[in-house]
Amino acid sequence: MHDETMSLDSPVQSRASLLDKPADKISWRWWALWLVGFGVFSMMAPRDASFDVAHYHLHNGWSVLNGRMGQDLAPAELHSFLNPVWQVFVWLLVDTLPGRLVGFLLGALQGLILPALYALTRRLMHRADATPSQMAVLAISLAGFTAEGMFGLLSSVRNDAVCAAAFLGALVMIIPSDRAQPSLLRFGLASLLMGALVGMKLTNSVYVLFFALAVPLLVTGWRMRINVLAVCAVSGLVGILVTGGWWAWYMYQTFENPIFPFMNTFFEGPLGPDTPFRDDRYVPSGLLGAVFRPFVFLFDGEMINEDGFFDPRLQLGYLASFALLAAAIWKTSKMPAIAARTAVAFGAAFIFTIIAWGLMFSIARYLLAIWILGPTFVAYALAVWKPEIWSAKYAPHASLGALALLFVVTQPSELRRVAWSTWTGPYIEAELPERDFANATIAFSGGYPSAFLSSFFPESARLTHLVPQVWSAPALANYNYQIRDLIRDPSRDLYVVIVDTESHWDEARERLRRDENVVFDEAACERIYTSLDSPGVEWKICPAEVTPG
């Protein structure tokens, strides 16, 4: 086995072209130019009008900044109670800047993924004593950056891309380029970042699983391993408290459950559900199903997403992870010890994370960062098995060819986007009918999102929801009596907001009548004109009443 040594990054050498220039560090000036360019590209894309954006990403930040939690009753259903720290940041942007400028800034944040991927890929290759060209590493990084999920996040206020960038940044911290093992400070900073991620969004726990498994496998010596785990545990907890502590405390004081309404059978909050609930629409039947699931949903994206798509990067990374473990077993004596240890750590973490994700969520967007890592893992697996191939003249050309092939075969899922109407207009606009909604009760109704309209109603109006998505309805079963008391308040006029699509209108109207005894005269409904309108999708508001029953 080779010694536990690594050389410092070699200085940038002058070569004929990027095809044979060694994969050294790229100046921050070039990366700054890339971020500006990608930000401009993002602001040119139509705005994201996807379900979650209209449902809670625009509502929650506005709600917290305007002190609405004590006045409104879950306008965005159970998602009204998710940690709003990211949405607060988003609403500050949306409320103060033109919409296209918001898209530019969010695009620049998404663009951080590429330099993080480049740094991680380059460092992994060096650990295996591979000497790829700069073009090869750039092609590999771009192959990950162009994963299917990235297309849907252009100019998006959702946080999935930023979470992925932060996770990749944490991995870069624990794979230093100048030493075999990072310092305790690096481990601490990376863990702080990971804790901040899970504190901000609980579904980032899949990234924490990857990190928590990889870290102890990367460290040598039991004493050092114990020290690292202690530092990581403390730093991770601090990160959780920084982004999630304040909201968890507020939720606990209000509902006796810091993550209300989730895990309420453990916390036993009086307004939470009495029985466990989850979105199990995409979850496999068992462990064996989770192990083989990536190869099943490869050709049926609707198994893990609302719409179908095709992107083999995850499956390639999954197979490469098994190849990494195999290399660590059969080629231990022929590869650097640091490469073998990293192969075990990252290979095992990748496999375990995919299986755990399948059993917990099996929803595509929650695994975006792992999807992005697929090409990097393939490159690293090739490096540990046969590092000399990365020195061959064909390596950069092959990398570019693989990038082109992946780009061509990738089929993004359908996503609602709406074109910008002006260069200086706001991210979100709406025009209410000329009615007096002061002191009214506004109930966003049905499974199609409407809570983004909250900020356009008078301050005195009270906002809530009725007949939510079927899978999420059990979450607020014990909370709903407050909503029913509100809609029956005789001192307030009741209005329901429903999206008029081909099938949703009739379904929502029937559920209102059947489940809540709420009826309305369709002839009295009026349209709300919004910047998220598109052909076949428009919002209407209707005066309603609760009938006896």
Side-chain angles (χ1 to χ4, degrees):
M1 186 176 291
H2 293 210
D3 293 334
E4 295 275 357
T5 59
M6 288 185 65
S7 61
L8 296 174
D9 290 334
S10 59
V12 177
Q13 302 176 28
S14 177
R15 296 291 183 100
S17 70
L18 291 177
L19 292 175
D20 54 7
K21 184 178 181 180
D24 298 302
K25 293 179 180 178
I26 295 177
S27 169
W28 66 267
R29 294 177 179 84
W30 287 110
W31 287 127
L33 185 62
W34 153 255
L35 295 179
V36 171
F38 193 74
V40 171
F41 176 76
S42 297
M43 70 185 288
M44 301 299 290
R47 86 191 85 195
D48 183 1
S50 61
F51 188 100
D52 286 351
V53 171
H55 188 45
Y56 75 96
H57 274 288
L58 290 173
H59 165 270
N60 287 14
W62 167 84
S63 176
V64 169
L65 288 170
N66 288 274
R68 301 287 302 199
M69 285 298 295
Q71 178 174 339
D72 299 330
L73 297 177
E77 305 173 27
L78 72 88
H79 294 86
S80 303
F81 306 105
L82 298 183
N83 185 344
V85 63
W86 172 258
Q87 286 79 29
V88 166
F89 166 71
V90 163
W91 186 256
L92 289 173
L93 295 181
V94 167
D95 198 37
T96 57
L97 300 175
R100 284 187 185 264
L101 185 53
V102 175
F104 170 83
L105 294 174
L106 295 175
L109 290 176
Q110 183 180 8
L112 290 171
I113 288 175
L114 185 61
L117 263 180
Y118 178 85
L120 181 63
T121 304
R122 180 176 64 88
R123 295 178 184 196
L124 287 174
M125 302 285 264
H126 286 182
R127 287 197 164 204
D129 280 350
T131 55
S133 69
Q134 193 169 83
M135 181 57 74
V137 176
L138 275 172
I140 295 163
S141 303
L142 281 168
F145 186 80
T146 52
E148 182 276 334
M150 294 288 285
F151 293 98
L153 294 171
L154 291 173
S155 191
S156 175
V157 300
R158 292 175 291 165
N159 54 22
D160 301 271
V162 173
C163 293
F167 170 64
L168 294 173
L171 296 186
V172 172
M173 289 184 195
I174 62 174
I175 304 292
S177 60
D178 57 352
R179 65 188 72 182
Q181 190 164 276
S183 63
L184 287 176
L185 177 61
R186 280 178 173 267
F187 275 121
L189 291 175
S191 298
L192 181 70
L193 190 55
M194 294 304 301
L197 282 180
V198 76
M200 180 175 72
K201 186 175 182 180
L202 290 176
T203 55
N204 286 329
S205 57
V206 292
Y207 300 151
V208 174
L209 288 175
F210 185 108
F211 187 84
L213 182 58
V215 163
L217 295 175
L218 286 171
V219 179
T220 57
W222 284 104
R223 183 184 295 258
M224 183 61 177
R225 189 171 287 121
I226 292 172
N227 291 338
V228 166
L229 290 177
V231 168
C232 288
V234 173
S235 300
L237 180 60
V238 171
I240 292 174
L241 293 176
V242 167
T243 58
W246 66 284
W247 187 250
W249 178 243
Y250 175 79
M251 286 287 101
Y252 182 77
Q253 287 183 309
T254 306
F255 301 107
E256 299 181 28
N257 178 346
I259 55 174
F260 179 86
F262 302 98
M263 293 183 63
N264 199 68
T265 53
F266 175 79
F267 293 105
E268 298 183 343
L271 296 181
D274 298 323
T275 56
F277 82 96
R278 63 185 299 193
D279 184 1
D280 59 0
R281 292 172 294 173
Y282 308 110
V283 178
S285 57
L287 178 61
L288 191 62
V291 171
F292 291 100
R293 191 170 180 79
F295 306 110
V296 179
F297 66 64
L298 173 61
F299 298 101
D300 186 6
E302 291 187 6
M303 293 179 65
I304 57 170
N305 195 54
E306 291 182 354
D307 296 299
F309 68 94
F310 181 79
D311 182 1
R313 290 167 179 79
L314 181 74
Q315 289 76 13
L316 291 173
Y318 194 43
L319 292 173
S321 297
F322 287 102
L324 287 171
L325 295 181
I329 295 172
W330 285 299
K331 288 180 62 68
T332 299
S333 61
K334 299 179 181 179
M335 59 191 295
I338 188 173
R341 195 168 63 250
T342 306
V344 171
F346 274 30
F350 198 102
I351 294 168
F352 180 79
T353 300
I354 288 180
I355 295 173
W357 159 82
L359 295 173
M360 289 192 297
F361 313 114
S362 202
I363 295 175
R365 65 181 181 275
Y366 296 159
L367 206 64
L368 175 65
I370 308 299
W371 226 293
I372 289 170
L373 281 172
T376 293
F377 272 57
V378 171
Y380 187 48
L382 291 174
V384 297
W385 276 98
K386 199 171 183 180
E388 60 271 18
I389 69 171
W390 291 109
S391 304
K393 289 185 177 181
Y394 63 78
H397 298 88
S399 300
L400 287 169
L403 165 62
L405 180 61
L406 279 174
F407 187 82
V408 169
V409 302
T410 299
Q411 299 176 8
S413 64
E414 292 185 12
L415 185 70
R416 285 197 72 242
R417 286 190 172 274
V418 178
W420 300 99
S421 56
T422 66
W423 278 94
T424 58
Y427 195 95
I428 186 69
E429 297 176 275
E431 181 183 341
L432 298 178
E434 292 186 1
R435 284 178 176 263
D436 184 8
F437 296 109
N439 298 307
T441 295
I442 311 298
F444 303 121
S445 304
Y448 207 99
S450 303
F452 73 97
L453 293 168
S454 297
S455 63
F456 298 96
F457 287 96
E459 185 178 353
S460 61
R462 295 193 67 184
L463 312 175
T464 187
H465 80 270
L466 289 171
V467 292
Q469 303 172 83
V470 175
W471 74 265
S472 66
L476 300 181
N478 291 332
Y479 177 95
N480 283 339
Y481 79 90
Q482 298 180 88
I483 297 176
R484 291 180 175 129
D485 287 346
L486 174 61
I487 65 175
R488 285 167 172 77
D489 185 348
S491 67
R492 292 178 174 273
D493 294 330
L494 173 64
Y495 293 88
V496 293
V497 175
I498 307 178
V499 180
D500 190 1
T501 67
E502 184 175 349
S503 60
H504 180 263
W505 178 272
D506 291 337
E507 178 187 350
R509 182 176 182 175
E510 173 59 23
R511 289 185 63 199
L512 282 168
R513 184 197 61 78
R514 184 187 67 233
D515 299 345
E516 301 293 347
N517 297 315
V518 171
V519 297
F520 61 89
D521 180 5
E522 188 169 347
C525 297
E526 297 180 85
R527 182 173 174 181
I528 302 174
Y529 291 90
T530 87
S531 54
L532 298 190
D533 292 352
S534 61
V537 179
E538 57 185 46
W539 281 260
K540 292 183 178 179
I541 187 165
C542 311
E545 61 179 355
V546 181
T547 61

